[in-house]
């Protein structure tokens, strides 16, 4: 029998890859293994395991390391807002404390066992974040921070003074664990939950949703001009924070086998934020180092003096002055690696086949009326920058607007893109009135813009800047 053999033009057999391909494949395998060893979830697992071993050898109560694991989860949930989204909550304790009470009510009401109470409290905290977010996300910056603190203080007043329901100052006792009868079994469970949640948050940070959060953190207007609904993404981030923080609060209730109102008070409202900043707000492992330092120092110093904050506060001041990037940032500075570690720095491999670009303009009818302004006007008080502008823009035709500095060109473009609301007149795009439409909806319809001054996402790589823009067109 005579067989056939197909040979490439360069003489290589198709069944045998080239040496370059083999080297590249082996290199990718090595990089993948190295990345797995550096995965934050694995580091958290190893650090908590090491602390557990040391505490066991010292014969100290394991509950302190359990508390570190819980507060690592608490801080990491808060860091989803601070480090990834750019929102600073002064009162994330509202989710932590309310979920703690929710878990206690569930167990004491005999609605289910302790494991089911964790699920219930986590869902309750997520719904609470959904409701609170509808109110506080109307503001940003300092006002957002103060509103979170206000909600936390309201929750504290209710928990502290509604004695008949919450137990008041004495809290709720006898929230017994049925699934974990010993401190050690519960400790292993908490560490496992914390590691899994850290892995989930790492995945979220590298998902398209997480990339948009980072883009919004760096340049809100740019993200909106690409077509992203900034409010919706921030609300989603707050719900995720409420979910993870609420789970941490429920775990603390089971650890203490009780719940108390002091976690909601203003004295403790900023504990998670404090730990995150101490460890490194722009580093995914910052909450871990912050939780370790905060809880161990509190435990050791409070055993020496009641005024332990007199010792702890100067430590915080020293870090704030010498290492704004926290403990993780100080470690990186010692090794000359000053960069944020909220995400992986690598670039995905180039695909084997890249589809050719197809312009959407091919389907437009040349000369069709696309954009029209009717008596468009804008005034800032008594200053009129645009007055009764009538303009028609047709497809396939290049249009230019020329005028001296201060003529109102930028104001006009800002009204077209949605950055400014007009004082009068209408804007019609492809037959749709977009006069009051927000910027992201106009971008979705097809009104794009460039900026007079360079507008990028400064803390994202060049690759990520491009990917965020491309991703916006595929949603």
């Amino acid at each position: 029998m005579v067989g056939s053999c197909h040979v490439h033009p360069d003489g290589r057999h198709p069944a045998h890859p080239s040496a370059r391909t083999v080297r590249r494949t082996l290199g990718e395998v090595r990089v993948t293994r190295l990345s797995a060893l550096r995965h934050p979830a694995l580091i958290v697992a190893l650090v908590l395991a090491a602390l557990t071993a040391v505490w066991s050898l010292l014969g100290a109560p394991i509950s302190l390391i359990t508390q570190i694991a819980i507060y690592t989860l608490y801080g990491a949930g808060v860091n989803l807002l601070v480090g990834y989204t750019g929102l600073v909550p002064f009162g994330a304790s509202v989710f932590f404390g309310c979920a703690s009470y929710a878990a206690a009510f569930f167990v004491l009401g005999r609605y289910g066992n302790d494991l089911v109470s964790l699920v219930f409290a986590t869902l309750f905290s997520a719904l609470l974040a959904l409701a609170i977010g509808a109110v506080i996300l109307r503001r940003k910056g300092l006002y957002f921070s103060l509103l979170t603190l206000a909600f936390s203080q309201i929750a504290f007043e209710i928990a502290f003074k509604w004695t008949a329901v919450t137990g008041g100052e004495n809290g709720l006792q006898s929230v017994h664990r049925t699934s974990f009868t010993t401190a050690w079994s519960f400790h292993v469970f908490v560490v496992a939950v914390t590691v899994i949640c850290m892995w989930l948050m790492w995945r979220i940070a590298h998902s398209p949703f997480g990339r948009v959060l980072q883009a919004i953190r760096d340049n809100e207007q740019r993200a909106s001009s690409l077509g992203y609904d900034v409010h919706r993404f921030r609300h989603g981030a707050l719900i995720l924070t409420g979910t993870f923080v609420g789970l941490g609060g429920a775990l603390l209730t089971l650890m203490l086998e009780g719940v108390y109102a002091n976690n909601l008070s203003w004295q403790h409202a900023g504990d998670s934020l404090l730990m995150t900043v101490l460890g490194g707000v722009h580093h995914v492992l910052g909450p871990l180092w912050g939780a370790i330092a905060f809880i161990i120092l509190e435990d050791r110093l409070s055993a020496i003096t009641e005024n332990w904050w007199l010792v702890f506060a100067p430590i915080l001041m020293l870090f704030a002055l010498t290492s704004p990037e926290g403990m993780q940032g100080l470690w990186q500075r010692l090794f000359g690696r000053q960069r944020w570690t909220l995400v992986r720095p690598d670039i995905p491999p180039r695909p084997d086949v890249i589809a050719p670009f197809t312009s959407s303009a091919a389907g437009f009818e040349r000369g069709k009326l696309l954009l029209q302004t009717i008596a468009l006007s804008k005034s800032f008080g008594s200053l009129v920058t645009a007055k009764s502008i009538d303009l028609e823009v047709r497809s396939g035709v290049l249009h230019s607007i020329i005028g001296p500095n201060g003529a109102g060109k930028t104001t006009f473009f800002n009204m077209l893109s949605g950055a400014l609301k007009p004082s009068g007149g209408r804007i019609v795009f492809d037959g749709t009135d977009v006069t009051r439409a927000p910027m992201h909806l106009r971008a979705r319809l097809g009104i794009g813009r460039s900026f007079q001054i360079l507008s990028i996402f400064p803390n994202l790589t060049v690759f990520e800047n491009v990917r965020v823009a491309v991703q916006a067109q595929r949603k």
Side-chain angles (χ1 to χ4, degrees), residues 7 19 85 89 100 114 119 179 186 201 251 268 283 294 316-317 320 326 373-374 382 396 404 425:
V7 181
T85 316
S100 297
D114 47 0
V119 177
S179 302
F186 183 68
M201 282 185 267
L251 288 171
H268 295 282
H283 304 281
F294 182 84
L316 290 177
M317 295 169 63
T373 65
I374 305 168
S382 59

Side-chain angles (χ1 to χ4, degrees), residues 360-387:
S360 59
F364 276 101
E365 175 187 350
R366 185 176 181 85
K368 176 185 176 182
L369 180 61
L370 285 180
L371 179 65
Q372 183 181 20
T373 65
I374 305 168
L376 195 65
S377 303
K378 180 64 180 179
S379 60
F380 299 91
S382 59
L383 179 62
V384 179
T385 55
K387 183 177 180 180

